[in-house]
Amino acid sequence: MLASAAVVPPGNVFANIEPQEIELGTIDLANNGIRVDGIYFYENINKGPDFMSFDTLTRSLFRVIADHYPILVGRPTVNSKGKASIVVNPDDLCMPDVKEVSVDQPAETFFLHGSKSKADPKTNVKFFDLHRFYSTSGVERIPHATYHRSHSSVIVRILRFKDSSYTALAYSLLHGIFDATATVAFMSHWAEYARNLANPNYKLSFLPIHSRNVMYDRFGEIEPVELPFVKHFKDAAGTAKFDSPDNVAPILLSTPDIPQIAEQHLLHISAKNLERMRQEVDDTQTTAMVLTAVLTRAMVEANTVAFGVEPHTSYVAVAYDSRQRSGVPQNFAGNASFICIAPLSTKRVVGSSYKELAQTIKESSMKTDSAYSKASIEIIENELGLLYHASLSLCNSPQSSYLGFSNVRYLPFKAIDFGYGSPSILAFDYFSKEGMCRMYPNFQDNGVDLFINYTDACFSHLRKNEMMAKYVDFIF
């Protein structure tokens, strides 16, 4: 394995960046210490030597940052008003970390293939085996994008495989700056700049909005609602009191980097089986809601076997994007995603039909408008101690079952085209939270891939669930 030296921005690409300060929002701070990342495989069909050239990728990256995303080269601070912010000082930029890595093995070495019994027999579906890659390729783990220490907040590794059949673009960014929607938008804008690199005056026509006020002003006059999961944890705590700081900004901004958990698993469901599952459970529900119900039941059953005791409560956390439900502009380039947590008794989970369970989860996750989002912000700002206490229960243990489900299937990944075509295989690094599950599109057979962080001991029992065994292809 060979890696190039870190890249120095060409010429005066950052010369026109102006001094500025972007105040961060409460949701940004709540995600500090977590990374967002991806490993996207681009197929080099003709095996051309200039495919996804290093020069094209680096020059376009620096230009799009300079023109539209200077927040990525700023540095965090708590300003005189006690607000967390990113200060962009042209004389002290936090430079991107970009390297080209040569992998002395063919890409096929790290691909697994779907089971013919679950996938379309005519489709040779490939999956990237992250475990095998890190254990046998000699390539170092992609560093954690961070403002702590001397690391960069933008880390890119361009992976060149021995047979030149694929080039993989691996990146790591800060969740404290972007949510999933903003991340894919940034990657798409980077790709757009690469496609237009010959035009030195090229600029985006639909500009990203970095001011957090654009979102928070939407919630100004709205009366927050009571969050069901907050009431649940307050009732459980009884008379216990939890201290919370007057100002959460300094504490959340200093959150240490949260390590990733290597117990990642990949499940695949073909388009045909996805629809068959939906028809069997409830054809009036979305596939995401049906999958959430099936996984919730399956994880309770797996936990019961693994721990030898039935958990008391099953927590189902469903992410939603307030751009879709609260009128926040689609081009808002910060964190606008919130989670709705439904605390369900295990008796209700195992005693309901899948249709009833899907409906219960839907009723909990669909009441997520501006009032819900504002309440989520206020609970972080005013009751951080209670949230910390609650977070200890959001795990898979003898006492509880936990599923955190995010559906990013419909984000425009195909727009991340650097002029060589869209990515054909989407893969991701390890997540930082046990119980997290993200649903991504699979472009090879139009099915979905579920990346789930779940302990190996529990996962071994997951496939015994009847619905999982019937429709799901267990990749690793």
Side-chain angles (χ1 to χ4, degrees):
M1 183 274 293
L2 299 174
S4 68
V7 174
V8 177
N12 60 348
V13 67
F14 289 152
N16 294 325
I17 290 182
E18 297 181 355
Q20 55 195 283
E21 179 179 345
I22 303 101
E23 286 190 358
L24 298 177
T26 302
I27 302 303
D28 297 316
L29 293 173
N31 289 300
N32 194 40
I34 305 173
R35 58 187 267 181
V36 288
D37 56 57
I39 307 173
Y40 303 160
F41 282 80
Y42 293 81
E43 187 173 8
N44 185 2
I45 297 175
N46 299 319
K47 297 190 176 181
D50 296 326
F51 183 77
M52 297 279 286
S53 77
F54 190 58
D55 179 70
T56 295
L57 295 177
T58 53
R59 287 173 58 205
S60 55
L61 173 64
F62 292 132
R63 279 186 55 188
V64 76
I65 290 175
D67 290 348
H68 300 291
Y69 288 91
I71 190 173
L72 292 175
V73 289
R75 298 184 185 276
T77 188
V78 176
N79 62 25
S80 58
K81 297 182 292 183
K83 300 285 189 179
S85 64
I86 300 297
V87 173
V88 182
N89 178 357
D91 296 323
D92 184 29
L93 297 178
C94 184
M95 302 303 291
D97 175 1
V98 186
K99 294 179 181 178
E100 189 170 37
V101 179
S102 297
V103 184
D104 193 27
Q105 297 177 64
E108 187 66 34
T109 305
F110 308 105
F111 289 150
L112 297 171
H113 297 263
S115 166
K116 296 297 183 183
S117 64
K118 296 292 190 300
D120 188 330
K122 297 179 181 179
T123 304
N124 181 22
V125 185
K126 299 178 180 179
F127 305 92
F128 178 59
D129 187 342
L130 183 67
H131 303 305
R132 182 186 298 175
F133 179 72
Y134 278 142
S135 63
T136 66
S137 69
V139 175
E140 296 179 353
R141 292 273 298 272
I142 310 302
H144 196 306
T146 178
Y147 283 125
H148 297 306
R149 303 181 304 279
S150 59
H151 286 192
S152 172
S153 63
V154 182
I155 297 176
V156 176
R157 297 292 181 264
I158 302 165
L159 306 178
R160 309 285 187 190
F161 294 90
K162 185 176 181 180
D163 60 352
S164 300
S165 58
Y166 289 87
T167 291
L169 183 65
Y171 68 88
S172 175
L173 303 169
L174 283 171
H175 201 344
I177 301 295
F178 292 150
D179 61 9
T181 299
T183 297
V184 174
F186 166 71
M187 296 297 292
S188 301
H189 291 156
W190 173 13
E192 185 176 334
Y193 258 66
R195 297 194 304 271
N196 294 277
L197 196 58
N199 180 358
N201 299 313
Y202 187 79
K203 298 290 190 296
L204 299 175
S205 57
F206 193 48
L207 303 181
I209 299 174
H210 297 288
S211 172
R212 272 45 180 175
N213 291 334
V214 170
M215 182 177 77
Y216 289 91
D217 287 349
R218 299 268 172 174
F219 305 145
E221 301 301 321
I222 294 172
E223 189 69 26
V225 297
E226 183 178 43
L227 303 180
F229 81 91
V230 172
K231 182 179 185 304
H232 166 82
F233 285 113
K234 284 184 175 179
D235 290 344
T239 58
K241 301 295 182 182
F242 304 99
D243 294 331
S244 296
D246 294 330
N247 182 9
V248 300
I251 293 175
L252 294 179
L253 194 61
S254 62
T255 300
D257 297 332
I258 301 175
Q260 296 163 288
I261 301 172
E263 291 182 297
Q264 183 188 94
H265 300 280
L266 174 59
L267 312 179
H268 174 71
I269 310 176
S270 68
K272 290 182 179 179
N273 279 339
L274 199 60
E275 180 58 20
R276 288 168 181 158
M277 179 189 288
R278 193 177 72 88
Q279 292 291 334
E280 180 175 339
V281 173
D282 185 354
D283 61 5
T284 68
Q285 295 275 19
T286 64
T287 53
M289 201 55 62
V290 167
L291 274 173
T292 303
V294 170
L295 278 169
T296 298
R297 167 85 66 80
M299 291 175 73
V300 167
E301 293 174 353
N303 289 355
T304 300
V305 176
F307 296 116
V309 61
E310 192 174 78
H312 180 267
T313 307
S314 178
Y315 297 101
V316 185
V318 179
Y320 69 96
D321 189 343
S322 63
R323 296 175 185 84
Q324 308 298 328
R325 302 187 185 183
S326 301
V328 175
Q330 189 63 32
N331 55 332
F332 174 68
N335 280 282
S337 297
F338 297 78
I339 59 171
C340 174
I341 304 174
L344 306 174
S345 69
T346 297
K347 181 179 180 181
R348 188 171 189 178
V349 172
V350 299
S352 302
S353 66
Y354 284 111
K355 180 176 182 177
E356 293 168 338
L357 182 56
Q359 184 61 38
T360 297
I361 297 172
K362 178 182 178 180
E363 289 173 355
S364 299
S365 62
M366 292 304 290
K367 299 174 183 177
T368 44
D369 53 12
S370 297
Y372 194 103
S373 299
K374 184 172 183 178
S376 298
I377 293 170
E378 291 190 354
I379 199 72
I380 296 170
E381 294 175 343
N382 301 320
E383 299 196 61
L384 193 62
L386 174 67
L387 283 185
Y388 175 75
H389 169 74
S391 70
L392 299 178
S393 297
L394 301 182
C395 63
N396 289 287
S397 70
Q399 292 76 38
S400 61
S401 177
Y402 173 68
L403 170 65
F405 192 90
S406 297
N407 176 15
V408 295
R409 180 187 183 187
Y410 298 109
L411 290 180
F413 292 101
K414 286 190 175 182
I416 309 176
D417 175 1
F418 293 87
Y420 307 91
S422 302
S424 56
I425 300 173
L426 302 179
F428 300 87
D429 216 319
Y430 299 124
F431 301 152
S432 299
K433 174 69 175 175
E434 193 270 339
M436 284 297 300
C437 178
R438 295 176 186 169
M439 180 169 73
Y440 291 92
N442 186 299
F443 298 134
Q444 299 169 81
D445 70 348
N446 294 319
V448 298
D449 293 334
L450 302 176
F451 292 83
I452 180 170
N453 260 24
Y454 196 33
T455 60
D456 294 339
C458 294
F459 183 79
S460 63
H461 300 289
L462 194 69
R463 65 182 68 224
K464 298 175 184 178
N465 172 272
E466 76 221 58
M467 295 290 281
M468 301 290 285
K470 188 174 183 180
Y471 294 114
V472 176
D473 196 358
F474 289 79
I475 307 303
F476 60 75

